[in-house]
Amino acid sequence: MNEDEMLGLFVQESRDHLATLEADLLALESDAGDADRLNRVFRAVHTVKGTAGFFGFAAITSLAHVMESVLALVRDGRMAATPALVTDLLAATDRLRTMVADPRQAATIPSAAELAALQALLHLEPAVAAAPAARSVPTSLHAFRFDPELIRAALREGHHFYVVQLRLQADIEAAGQTPLHYLREIASVGTLIDTALDLGSVGGLEDDTPTDLVCSILFATPMEPDLLLGAFGIPASQLAQTSSEFFHDWLRSQPTLVPRTSPPAATAPHPRPDETVRLPTRLLDELTQLVGELAQGRDHLLLLAAEPGTPAELNAAVQSLATVATGLQHALTRARCQPVGDLFGRFPRLLHDLGRKLGKDIRLETSGDDLPLDRALLAGLTDPLTHLIRNSADHGIESPAERRRLGKPAVGVVCLRATLEDGTLEVEVRDDGRGLDLARITAKAIERELVSPHQAAGLSPAEVRQLIFAPGLSTAPEVSDVSGRGVGMDVVKTDIGQLGGQINLDSAPGEGTVVTIRLPVRQPRLQLEPARAA
Amino acid sequence: MQAHLDHGTLRLAFAGDILSTNVAQQRVALLSHLAAHPTAAGIVADLTHARAIDSQGLNLLIALYRECERRQLSFRAENPAPEILRLFIALKLAERFGLQPALASP
């Protein structure tokens, strides 16, 4: 794998980690005690940090490091995953995403604000009086810096700690390796904790005595000493195992990071691991094309095989081939699909940010996330649903104070529901907000000369609700950057129309609004069943 | 190796890879340039043209760094190739060479 390929892999994997991170951070806001999720969040940041460090992307490493420190406090129950904290972590995640998109330019992307926001949450407090005194550091470890998180993780995994001393020239280069490659090999079997180069052995420029630099490496691995010696060809005299007891003591004696604010929230679980691989859409399209041609060949063969006089063995072989081809078509059809949850997964962040901006507490509920749909259809629904959710947040859901005054829960709810029945996809966006103000819609429609006062007087409530889809109509008292320019609902209707669907709207004053999108679902252009032989 | 004084800083541009096959020659050149610019307050090692460095090359850079320490001159390396930067980071030389801001301590 060359440099660019490795970098491409780093970018792709980091994006995946950050996508998971965002979803998990949002979930933590309401489910702070989910230990598995917290660990997943921590691992995602740690992996991005570690890989970026290996590539030398210091700006990415620095930001990820501070995120990791804050997350460690949350994971250890010393800081609550408050909305403010989640917002700071999301902002840092956004910045990381920008950085990993072009990691070579990451250092030019300003991240001081995100760093400062997270660093403000941290301050050091001396270890409590009862904490044990630090055991003296063995001489063999004097040169190293210990990262508490790496040490903690290694201890948790029950790894052994080792120090190996290697001469860069005699032990590494003479074996046809490079120091960097060697370190990567060690990291691949455990955790590389630190390295120390013996700079004391190098004099100034006038000292031209050849010196073979000695590098000491502290690492942790599940491998036993014998296995390690064999696997790395390390001379036994250059490898020393270090007692993990020392690291236990060292961890206990460390200053404790404490948050500026405290208590953690309650618990609840539900992680859903994904086992997926990425495929370029272009490749899927090529496969679709090829499988389509295969289907035509299959049908032709079936017709030929049905001719009288075809040998039974040939007929059987054709039938067998047809079965495989049909199976391939079905599999490819599934491969072209994505779960609706991939689309719905975009909106928790949107609602979180809108809620912060508008001073509202809004919760998103979804159902039908596992429904598989063609990815092109999902892509076509993204913008319309974004408009609808923005509208619900901005116009529908009331402020917490108003909701309490009305006897409603302070937290507003937006529900997204997807169902598929008889070839029709139904996506519903429902909120429990104030509902449409029909009088205001009517007045606006008259003002915009969409209807005359006389016509307006004769409109039924359902007809008034339809006016919301007219171009340029907005009932928002002020234009905001969230919504309210009246360019949303007509665009939504147009977009849905282009997908071959319909949109309906229902609303009850004080109870909320339901927008229902119905779309005919076509299978991807594959002929799914073999043609019947005449 | 090119050398020029830039606002009191002596910029030393390595012409290519820094390997055991040429470190002796480069060591002489470095000493010569340092002697020619006794008023320099700092040294910049420009690694733009170095695509590879081996342990002896690393040794030479560390010797230059130590020489600067001894003469109380500032030192930094500039524009290393990604693989060289990775090596510096892995061996904790990047900070010493002025290439990486120290990470915030948790």
Side-chain angles (χ1 to χ4, degrees):
Chain A
M1 188 178 283
N2 66 30
E3 169 97 20
D4 285 343
E5 287 171 334
M6 283 173 65
L7 198 60
L9 196 60
F10 163 72
V11 170
Q12 190 173 312
E13 287 182 353
S14 297
R15 279 182 177 155
D16 288 346
H17 284 304
L18 294 175
T20 309
L21 180 64
E22 181 177 291
D24 281 338
L25 283 172
L26 289 163
L28 278 177
E29 208 174 357
S30 56
D31 195 7
D34 186 338
D36 287 342
R37 193 186 297 279
L38 260 171
N39 283 329
R40 197 161 64 228
V41 164
F42 191 86
R43 277 199 303 275
V45 176
H46 186 74
T47 304
V48 172
K49 172 186 147 180
T51 320
F54 233 63
F55 277 95
F57 301 133
I60 298 176
T61 312
S62 299
L63 183 55
H65 178 74
V66 178
M67 291 174 74
E68 193 184 54
S69 300
V70 171
L71 286 164
L73 290 174
V74 178
R75 187 192 57 189
D76 297 346
R78 288 178 283 154
M79 182 181 279
T82 60
L85 175 64
V86 168
T87 299
D88 287 341
L89 287 168
L90 286 170
T93 305
D94 289 344
R95 189 62 70 195
L96 271 186
R97 191 180 289 114
T98 311
M99 288 171 153
V100 301
D102 189 0
R104 289 190 176 110
Q105 299 301 318
T108 65
I109 295 166
S111 58
E114 290 77 15
L115 274 169
L118 291 175
Q119 280 169 334
L121 298 166
L122 303 170
H123 69 144
L124 277 171
E125 186 174 88
V128 291
R135 185 191 284 200
S136 62
V137 178
T139 315
S140 62
L141 299 178
H142 274 166
F144 298 113
R145 281 190 301 213
F146 309 139
D147 181 328
E149 290 309 325
L150 295 179
I151 302 287
R152 189 175 285 120
L155 288 170
R156 199 166 43 233
E157 300 289 327
H159 287 180
H160 307 296
F161 290 84
Y162 297 96
V163 173
V164 62
Q165 290 195 316
L166 296 165
R167 292 162 299 173
L168 296 191
Q169 196 169 18
D171 295 323
I172 297 178
E173 288 177 345
Q177 294 241 44
T178 66
L180 203 53
H181 185 253
Y182 203 95
L183 291 170
R184 283 174 179 157
E185 296 258 304
I186 287 183
S188 71
V189 299
T191 306
L192 181 63
I193 296 168
D194 199 21
T195 63
L197 207 53
D198 180 14
L199 298 187
S201 63
V202 182
L205 284 172
E206 283 164 12
D207 177 8
D208 59 358
T209 319
T211 306
D212 198 354
L213 286 165
V214 175
C215 180
S216 301
I217 305 164
L218 171 63
F219 64 103
T221 173
M223 293 171 80
E224 297 292 337
D226 289 350
L227 195 57
L228 204 55
L229 291 171
F232 286 94
I234 301 169
S237 61
Q238 290 170 224
L239 182 74
Q241 189 168 0
T242 303
S243 156
S244 55
E245 279 311 303
F246 163 75
F247 288 107
H248 276 295
D249 286 354
W250 179 82
L251 265 187
R252 280 195 288 268
S253 70
Q254 283 309 290
T256 309
L257 268 171
V258 295
R260 294 198 189 280
T261 54
S262 284
T267 60
H270 65 79
R272 195 187 73 176
D274 283 322
E275 291 177 4
T276 56
V277 293
R278 281 176 174 272
L279 278 181
T281 313
R282 195 178 65 249
L283 178 59
L284 268 182
D285 290 342
E286 277 177 35
L287 285 171
T288 305
Q289 175 76 23
L290 288 169
V291 170
E293 289 169 17
L294 178 68
Q296 287 177 2
R298 172 202 60 198
D299 293 349
H300 193 194
L301 273 176
L302 282 169
L303 287 170
L304 291 174
E307 292 291 324
T310 304
E313 284 178 5
L314 179 59
N315 210 326
V318 168
Q319 292 295 339
S320 173
L321 186 67
T323 305
V324 173
T326 305
L328 187 59
Q329 284 181 288
H330 282 293
L332 186 58
T333 304
R334 289 197 301 278
R336 287 193 63 94
C337 290
Q338 274 182 294
V340 170
D342 284 2
L343 170 63
F344 286 178
R346 294 166 176 259
F347 301 123
R349 174 68 189 274
L350 176 68
L351 271 182
H352 172 274
D353 290 352
L354 288 173
R356 300 277 300 173
K357 195 166 200 162
L358 299 165
K360 299 176 181 180
D361 292 334
I362 310 170
R363 187 175 75 242
L364 180 72
E365 292 179 356
T366 62
S367 69
D369 295 59
D370 292 332
L371 195 65
L373 285 179
D374 188 87
R375 60 190 66 228
L377 184 60
L378 288 182
L381 280 170
T382 304
D383 284 349
L385 289 185
T386 303
H387 275 297
L388 293 174
I389 289 170
R390 280 177 178 273
N391 277 346
S392 284
D394 198 13
H395 307 317
I397 303 292
E398 310 90 338
S399 69
E402 188 181 348
R403 289 179 67 89
R404 274 192 289 269
R405 189 176 57 77
L406 294 167
K408 290 178 165 184
V411 179
V413 179
V414 175
C415 296
L416 280 174
R417 186 180 64 86
T419 55
L420 182 61
E421 206 171 304
D422 297 333
T424 299
L425 170 70
E426 189 172 290
V427 181
E428 185 181 278
V429 183
R430 175 188 294 269
D431 70 61
D432 69 346
R434 57 173 65 92
L436 294 181
D437 184 338
L438 298 186
R440 182 178 279 176
I441 293 171
T442 307
K444 279 281 177 186
I446 293 169
E447 182 189 316
R448 302 260 173 193
E449 298 180 349
L450 298 170
V451 291
S452 68
H454 177 70
Q455 286 172 318
L459 291 175
S460 69
E463 287 169 327
V464 174
R465 285 195 291 269
Q466 288 304 310
L467 288 172
I468 204 87
F469 294 110
L473 192 135
S474 172
T475 59
E478 291 173 9
V479 170
S480 73
D481 60 351
V482 175
S483 56
R485 288 190 185 275
V487 295
M489 293 304 279
D490 63 315
V491 173
V492 170
K493 189 173 184 180
T494 304
D495 286 351
I496 297 301
Q498 283 172 350
L499 292 171
Q502 291 181 329
I503 184 164
N504 288 301
L505 188 145
D506 200 2
S507 181
E511 292 179 19
T513 301
V514 186
V515 178
T516 308
I517 295 167
R518 290 189 184 84
L519 292 163
V521 175
R522 302 181 199 91
Q523 295 292 357
R525 278 186 291 159
L526 288 174
Q527 190 182 339
L528 274 173
E529 299 301 331
R532 297 281 167 214
Chain B
M1 180 181 296
Q2 302 273 324
H4 74 275
L5 205 55
D6 180 12
H7 295 90
T9 298
L10 180 59
R11 296 183 62 87
L12 299 166
F14 286 78
D17 297 344
I18 313 172
L19 303 171
S20 58
T21 48
N22 61 29
V23 285
Q25 185 189 340
Q26 308 225 42
R27 184 185 299 271
V28 171
L30 287 171
L31 278 168
S32 163
H33 289 308
L34 281 173
H37 299 91
T39 59
I43 302 289
V44 171
D46 182 351
L47 304 179
T48 305
H49 301 294
R51 310 314 300 168
I53 187 168
D54 65 7
S55 64
Q56 287 306 302
L58 200 58
N59 207 320
L60 180 68
L61 279 185
I62 294 169
L64 178 58
Y65 164 77
R66 300 276 288 172
E67 188 70 36
C68 289
E69 272 190 334
R70 196 173 65 78
R71 298 184 186 210
Q72 297 187 318
L73 304 177
S74 66
F75 174 78
R76 71 186 161 85
E78 207 171 82
N79 205 20
E83 200 70 359
I84 295 178
L85 177 59
R86 261 170 236 146
L87 179 66
F88 290 168
I89 290 171
L91 297 177
K92 291 198 303 195
L93 291 170
E95 276 181 49
R96 287 180 190 273
F97 289 178
L99 286 162
Q100 184 189 26
L103 293 183
S105 296

